[in-house]
Every structure is written in C-alpha cells, then in structure tokens.
Amino acid sequence: MGNKRNAIATDPNGRTATPFDFGSGFADPIKALNPGIIFDAHPEDYKSFLCSIGYDDHSLHLITQDNSSCTDRAPSSAAALNYPSITIPNLKKSYSVTRTMTNVGFRGSAYHAFVSAPLGINVTVTPKVLVFENYGAKKTFTVNFHVDVPQRDHVFGSLLWHGKDARLMMPLVVKVDTAAKA
C-alpha cells in the first residue's frame, strides 16, 4: 500500500507492484533515526552471501577489492544472510530460516510477530514474541515455511515485528519448486 493506502502500481496500466518492484516499502526518515531493532550484518556475511549465489574468487575480488576467496569459505545458503527480508527461490516442501535482531531501542522492548503468509504457504514464527532486556541485546527467531498449495509463480507475504515504539516489516518471497516430489 502506498502512503494514501492504495495499492502501489508499477506502470500507467495499473499493474499491482510486488516487493520485487518496491522492496520493503517506504522508509520514514524520522523514524529511521531510532529504528528500535536492527539486523546486524558484517562484510564477511556479505562475502559469504556473494559466494552462495555463484560468485567465484575473481568476481568476489572485483567487488571487495581485497584478497577474499570463495574457495576457502564454508558453504552457505543465500537465505542465511541476516537481512530483514526472506526469499526462498526453490521451496520443495518445507524450509526454515533463522534471523537475529539487535535491540537499539529501549530496555525491555518487546516485539510481536504478525504473519501475512504468501498464498499457498504456511508460515510460522518461533518465538512469536521477542523481549529485549537491554540495549544491544540480540534475539534469534526462526521462520518456518511449508507448502500447502503449490503456486506456479512467486508469491509474496510479510512478517511484521510490532513493538510499542517501533515496527519492522519483512517481505517474504517464495517460489515453490513445482518439479519437487512430495
């Protein structure tokens, strides 16, 4: 939804936009100064991500401008990047993704998970409530995806973490591997 609560269109013909078109939505620059929670990711995490999506040592070096290598890295999944969105490109039957949030807000901040599941996909979050005792505290949660009714194209949903002083919307994108046997 746009800031006028209408569906966002991608072109003059009015095709409804997807997260591929607009990402996580509109950022409020004032609220971004005090986000409440963040997803820490470090240069090594991004290097592992690039290797997981097929970069070789030469390609990685072009990006990093250092001596990083994919060859010496433990195998990783692109979904392992601690990032505030989740994309699963070939969901066979079920898959779980783990993320870690860091509190940069108030002590005792609590966030409740609200899922808007992609069409045909059952999504559960464990735990459903995260309570951060202190500033800088880290909490890990798992998002479980299970195919109920396979769709032929990408389907979209979201995971909202809602707290008293902040909220974070995470896009969820799933493409079911329809060739997979149940």
Side-chain angles (χ1 to χ4, degrees), residues 126-162:
T126 307
K128 294 179 182 183
V129 178
L130 298 176
V131 179
F132 295 90
E133 297 80 19
N134 296 304
Y135 182 91
K138 295 179 182 302
K139 296 288 179 176
T140 298
F141 62 94
T142 301
V143 184
N144 302 294
F145 296 84
H146 180 79
V147 178
D148 283 340
V149 181
Q151 305 296 310
R152 293 202 173 276
D153 204 356
H154 289 91
V155 287
F156 305 94
S158 61
L159 167 56
L160 171 67
W161 286 100
H162 191 275

Side-chain angles (χ1 to χ4, degrees), residues 26-150:
F26 296 107
D28 181 330
I30 301 301
K31 290 181 180 177
L33 295 172
N34 295 302
I37 48 178
I38 61 170
F39 289 76
D40 282 338
H42 304 282
E44 287 303 313
D45 301 324
Y46 283 97
K47 291 173 187 178
S48 293
F49 169 77
L50 292 172
C51 294
S52 75
I53 62 170
Y55 278 57
D56 60 15
D57 291 350
H58 176 71
S59 300
L60 184 64
H61 176 70
L62 290 173
I63 299 293
T64 64
Q65 297 295 305
D66 63 16
N67 292 325
S68 297
S69 168
C70 290
T71 309
D72 300 333
R73 231 168 258 287
S76 177
S77 161
L81 180 63
N82 196 45
Y83 197 74
S85 67
I86 299 173
T87 299
I88 303 173
N90 293 303
L91 180 60
K92 293 182 184 358
K93 188 66 178 161
S94 60
Y95 192 76
S96 296
V97 175
T98 300
R99 294 286 190 267
T100 301
M101 291 193 294
T102 303
N103 181 34
V104 293
F106 299 105
R107 176 185 306 191
S109 294
Y111 293 88
H112 300 262
F114 297 94
V115 174
S116 176
L119 183 65
I121 309 297
N122 181 20
V123 178
T124 58
V125 179
T126 307
K128 294 179 182 183
V129 178
L130 298 176
V131 179
F132 295 90
E133 297 80 19
N134 296 304
Y135 182 91
K138 295 179 182 302
K139 296 288 179 176
T140 298
F141 62 94
T142 301
V143 184
N144 302 294
F145 296 84
H146 180 79
V147 178
D148 283 340
V149 181

